[in-house]
Amino acid sequence: MIFSNAVIDTIFAEAGTLLPNVKMHQNELIEEIKMFEFTMTQVKQHPWQNVSIEQVQRDQFSTLYQNIQSSYVGDDPEEDYKEVIVWKIKDMLYVTAAVDHDPSISVKWDVVVFNG
């Protein structure tokens, strides 16, 4: 397992603190992580298979963060997210939490591999 329970709990807790009035479900974050980890098991000899991540940090400076903010965050409820939070997990590996303009829609979690 690449993502430890502590990392998952940290991401979810930070998201809850940063987005106090936004609907989110930890099981949706866990499902995204499980899909990513399953995909990694299909890649022979990938270095991430031998890694267990214990720490995570919020990212506001990477190229991925800048690309998301300039391309996917804005005021148009039909086209844009209201806000996206990014956590750097490891080099080239991130978790994002995207907030819709509609408060009835829960946070969209993604595990992102980005080499920028």
Side-chain angles (χ1 to χ4, degrees), residues 33 38 80 106 108 111:
I33 289 170
F38 175 76
D80 301 322
S106 66
K108 180 180 182 325
V111 177

Side-chain angles (χ1 to χ4, degrees), residues 21-87:
N21 299 317
V22 176
K23 187 164 74 170
M24 64 183 75
H25 304 286
Q26 190 170 13
N27 65 324
E28 292 174 358
L29 170 60
I30 292 168
E31 284 302 312
E32 283 296 319
I33 289 170
K34 282 182 180 178
M35 285 191 302
F36 172 78
E37 289 184 340
F38 175 76
T39 301
M40 285 294 98
T41 65
Q42 306 303 305
V43 180
K44 293 190 186 313
Q45 305 297 324
H46 196 286
W48 287 340
Q49 293 171 350
N50 300 319
V51 172
S52 179
I53 297 165
E54 300 296 330
Q55 295 183 32
V56 62
Q57 70 181 47
R58 189 160 163 233
D59 173 35
Q60 294 179 293
F61 304 106
S62 70
T63 303
L64 173 66
Y65 177 84
Q66 300 302 325
N67 288 351
I68 288 171
Q69 297 306 312
S70 64
S71 301
Y72 299 104
V73 176
D75 295 328
D76 183 350
E78 296 295 320
E79 298 289 328
D80 301 322
Y81 287 110
K82 183 176 180 180
E83 184 173 356
V84 178
I85 299 172
V86 179
W87 289 269

Side-chain angles (χ1 to χ4, degrees), residues 46 48 64 88-94 112-116:
H46 196 286
W48 287 340
L64 173 66
K88 184 173 183 177
I89 307 302
K90 190 141 182 75
D91 288 339
M92 300 188 312
L93 182 60
Y94 300 84
V112 179
V113 176
F114 180 80
N115 184 11

